[in-house]
Amino acid sequence: MTHLVFVDYIIILIYFIVVAGYGYWIYQKKKKANSDTKDFFLAEGSLTWWAIGASLIASNISAEQFIGMSGEGFFVGIAVSAYEWIAAIALIIIAVWFMPIYLKNHIYTMPQFLKTRYNESVALIMAIFWLFLYVFVNLTSILYLGSVAINGLVGGQSLHVIMISLALFALVITLGGMKVIGYTDVIQVAVLIFGGLATTYLALTVVSEKFGLPGGAWAGFNYLIQDSPEHFKMILSKPAADAPPQEIGKYLVLPGIAMYFAGQWIVNLNYWGCNQYITQRALGADLQTARTGILFAGMLKLLMPVIVMLPGIAAYVLYKNGHLPQLAEGSKDGAYSAILSFLPSGLKGLSVAALTAAIVASLAGKVNSISTIFTLDIYKKYLKPGAGETNLVWVGRITVWAAMLIALFFTWEDILGIGGAGGFTFIQKYTGFISPGVFAMFILGMFWKRTTGLAAIVGVITGFTLSVVFNNYAPAWFGHETILYTAYINSKGVYEIPFLISMGWSFFFTVLIMVLISFGGSAINPKAFIFEKGMFGVQLKTKVMIIVTVLMLAALYIKFW
């Protein structure tokens, strides 16, 4: 267990003071947020491109990335970076093609998109669904996993005290509105990246020292590749039915080249393009600012595996060679904490600050999205249509408090069983099943003028149903080997289809059913979006950012294919 000393606590205290102080200064600088809903919920027109990009990353990276992705780096290796690197391409697609549609049609929330494109029934159903999902799955998991992670790093603290502290700090930031969240996220990302890179550098240096290599961190990195080359392959080979359980386990998580034709795109495009929690950062800006901010976030995503994945591989090599006995059973979830045990005083405090920054930024972003959907899509529309701006902002603030209190209640004794299921498993179970239907509803609604409201409702239900069938019943009903999939025996002795393959087929059949239903309607749905000439055109500097991102990504895949 990693214990902190006085200098570590000083560094953590400085982090809290700087973030809170800067947030208060931003709040005082422009108090318009006290009465203007668009400013409070969206910081309309006031977030710069770098604030949007930083806020996207700060909201995305949390304890499940630090602990979970580091653990997958320990177990699988660099292949898990696909989630981060494909996100960079997804963000390009969203910046170029999604944002013009959102901004041209003055879309501020995802339920509003569904009302504009389909009808109020679809919007209300999904607004309620998203509220439950964000409060009972995302907010609770961030709070619980974050508290457990920090408790594991500082040692000897009450989990409940940490939980309350994280919640209160996130509330302080959130109650100032999206402008405060956006600009404090710049500091959060700076702390996250600097602290994360410092941790990775020290982890690689430890590797070089443990094996008596000159050359520091670079020598440590080269030793990782030399010692465990299988951990530096982006594309996993499809295993035979009688392959070792560990090899099958890796493939079930990351099913080789097949996942690039299936669920990997659905996961990323749905998360980054159809998710209030994420898109909200860019919806208050003009198109060019939004695009630049999103592409900046895409560039930062290329860096994230170095921070959250590479320490896991370092932990694996150290463990394999007997230098991390605390990982006696090869527990991947303890990889990041085990690496931090090597860090010197001061740097441990910086690492805790980096992890805290990731957690608090995610909590603030998530609870702000909950507040936005409830206030604008339910309270204003159905409970009090004539509510004034000041009233709506106060309802938004009350919702922030209510959402956080509910999350605290359900995480206090882990009522939802997040710890037992595992953070990634818990989130995947409840969000991954609905993603194919939601993404099909959005993508067809944006780009196919014939799509109907009935098709949208059927699509969401079909996507969820097919996800359940493919993940839980298909191997027993249709066999272990079919033209669509290969199922393998998992660690529980049950046949399982790789989750990303299941997601891909669920999406495919959902789209097919939605298309067939929509053919029953008019050739052009009256609510279809109208595209103007040049609507998707991009400026030269945008093209340059896209080209640089693609070239960097191509180089990474060529190197580690």
Side-chain angles (χ1 to χ4, degrees):
M1 184 170 288
T2 303
H3 293 276
L4 306 184
V5 296
F6 180 74
V7 67
D8 295 312
Y9 287 110
I10 291 296
I11 290 174
I12 296 170
L13 181 62
I14 291 173
Y15 153 71
F16 278 110
I17 292 173
V18 169
V19 173
Y22 184 62
Y24 183 74
W25 180 75
I26 291 291
Y27 176 74
Q28 289 292 326
K29 187 178 178 182
K30 192 176 182 183
K31 286 191 174 181
K32 178 185 174 185
N34 286 332
S35 59
D36 190 321
T37 54
K38 289 182 181 178
D39 197 84
F40 180 79
F41 294 114
L42 299 164
E44 187 171 34
S46 62
L47 290 184
T48 58
W49 63 265
W50 44 268
I52 290 172
S55 189
L56 284 170
I57 297 301
S59 298
N60 168 241
I61 302 297
S62 191
E64 62 265 30
Q65 272 75 29
F66 270 96
I67 305 303
M69 186 163 285
S70 183
E72 293 301 339
F74 179 94
F75 178 57
V76 181
I78 199 173
V80 74
S81 300
Y83 281 100
E84 302 298 305
W85 291 343
I86 295 302
I89 299 298
L91 285 164
I92 292 174
I93 294 170
I94 289 153
V96 175
W97 286 287
F98 285 33
M99 290 312 298
I101 295 173
Y102 286 145
L103 296 181
K104 177 182 180 296
N105 293 281
H106 306 289
I107 303 298
Y108 299 120
T109 69
M110 295 301 96
Q112 183 192 352
F113 168 90
L114 298 176
K115 177 180 179 296
T116 303
R117 178 57 182 86
Y118 295 117
N119 53 58
E120 287 202 13
S121 297
V122 177
L124 179 60
I125 290 169
M126 292 308 298
I128 294 171
F129 165 77
W130 273 315
L131 283 177
F132 273 88
L133 182 72
Y134 287 172
V135 173
F136 293 103
V137 177
N138 297 108
L139 194 60
T140 54
S141 61
I142 293 170
L143 190 58
Y144 180 81
L145 292 173
S147 302
V148 171
I150 291 180
N151 187 54
L153 299 183
V154 302
Q157 303 297 318
S158 167
L159 186 66
H160 294 149
V161 170
I162 295 173
M163 206 176 285
I164 292 173
S165 300
L166 289 173
L168 287 175
F169 191 40
L171 283 171
V172 168
I173 295 173
T174 310
L175 292 173
M178 179 52 75
K179 185 188 289 87
V180 174
I181 294 172
Y183 281 107
T184 53
D185 277 350
V186 176
I187 299 178
Q188 308 275 41
V189 163
V191 174
L192 188 159
I193 291 177
F194 183 71
L197 287 176
T199 300
T200 300
Y201 177 83
L202 262 295
L204 296 176
T205 302
V206 167
V207 171
S208 67
E209 290 174 352
K210 291 294 183 182
F211 297 100
L213 304 172
W218 184 248
F221 176 70
N222 287 326
Y223 186 80
L224 297 184
I225 298 176
Q226 175 189 332
D227 181 82
S228 301
E230 76 285 354
H231 269 58
F232 286 89
K233 294 185 181 298
M234 283 298 301
I235 309 298
L236 302 182
S237 300
K238 185 176 180 179
D242 58 350
Q246 189 176 46
E247 186 178 335
I248 290 175
K250 292 179 180 181
Y251 191 79
L252 287 173
V253 175
L254 295 161
I257 194 71
M259 71 178 178
Y260 292 94
F261 297 96
Q264 192 63 250
W265 292 104
I266 299 165
V267 167
N268 276 295
L269 288 171
N270 181 66
Y271 177 83
W272 293 100
C274 314
N275 183 354
Q276 180 73 31
Y277 171 50
I278 294 298
T279 56
Q280 190 164 337
R281 274 106 183 107
L283 294 179
D286 62 82
L287 179 58
Q288 187 54 41
T289 302
R291 275 179 165 168
T292 306
I294 291 170
L295 293 175
F296 175 53
M299 289 181 167
L300 290 178
K301 289 298 284 182
L302 298 178
L303 181 65
M304 288 303 110
V306 178
I307 294 173
V308 297
M309 178 275 304
L310 203 52
I313 299 181
Y316 173 76
V317 171
L318 290 168
Y319 158 74
K320 189 174 74 169
N321 290 278
H323 295 293
L324 282 176
Q326 59 266 51
L327 297 178
E329 298 179 1
S331 172
K332 62 181 182 181
D333 289 337
Y336 196 77
S337 297
I339 280 293
L340 292 186
S341 66
F342 289 113
L343 301 186
S345 298
L347 195 54
K348 290 178 184 176
L350 182 60
S351 297
V352 172
L355 182 57
T356 303
I359 296 163
V360 169
S362 295
L363 285 173
K366 184 62 70 178
V367 80
N368 182 265
S369 297
I370 293 166
S371 173
T372 302
I373 290 176
F374 177 79
T375 305
L376 300 184
D377 293 303
I378 293 181
Y379 181 81
K380 182 181 180 181
K381 202 174 291 320
Y382 300 104
L383 302 181
K384 194 174 181 181
E389 294 284 295
T390 301
N391 176 232
L392 292 174
V393 170
W394 275 108
V395 169
R397 289 196 169 108
I398 292 169
T399 305
V400 165
W401 276 99
M404 194 65 82
L405 287 172
I406 291 171
L408 276 170
F409 175 80
F410 280 93
T411 54
W412 197 256
E413 298 296 338
D414 193 18
I415 294 173
L416 300 174
I418 301 170
F424 268 157
T425 303
F426 180 79
I427 295 171
Q428 187 181 71
K429 179 179 179 181
Y430 292 101
T431 60
F433 283 3
I434 201 71
S435 295
V438 171
F439 182 58
M441 177 173 58
F442 269 80
I443 199 75
L444 288 180
M446 285 183 186
F447 299 108
W448 194 40
K449 295 181 179 180
R450 193 160 192 156
T451 315
T452 65
L454 175 61
I457 293 175
V458 172
V460 171
I461 297 171
T462 301
F464 176 76
T465 303
L466 288 175
S467 293
V468 173
V469 169
F470 274 112
N471 281 280
N472 297 338
Y473 303 108
W477 290 357
F478 308 116
H480 311 145
E481 182 81 44
T482 72
I483 194 173
L484 300 182
Y485 62 79
T486 298
Y488 296 91
I489 297 178
N490 60 23
S491 60
K492 298 178 181 178
V494 178
Y495 276 98
E496 178 183 344
I497 304 169
F499 186 77
L500 292 173
I501 302 298
S502 297
M503 186 179 288
W505 284 120
S506 299
F507 174 74
F508 174 82
F509 287 115
T510 298
V511 169
L512 182 62
I513 291 171
M514 287 182 66
V515 167
L516 292 175
I517 292 173
S518 295
F519 273 124
S522 57
I524 297 179
N525 189 290
K527 289 204 164 191
F529 294 125
I530 305 300
F531 298 153
E532 298 174 354
K533 185 178 180 181
M535 182 174 167
F536 302 109
V538 296
Q539 295 183 8
L540 178 60
K541 63 180 180 181
T542 302
K543 292 179 181 178
V544 170
M545 293 181 75
I546 292 172
I547 291 170
V548 169
T549 301
V550 171
L551 288 176
M552 291 173 66
L553 188 61
L556 288 167
Y557 268 85
I558 291 170
K559 171 65 177 176
F560 297 111
W561 184 272

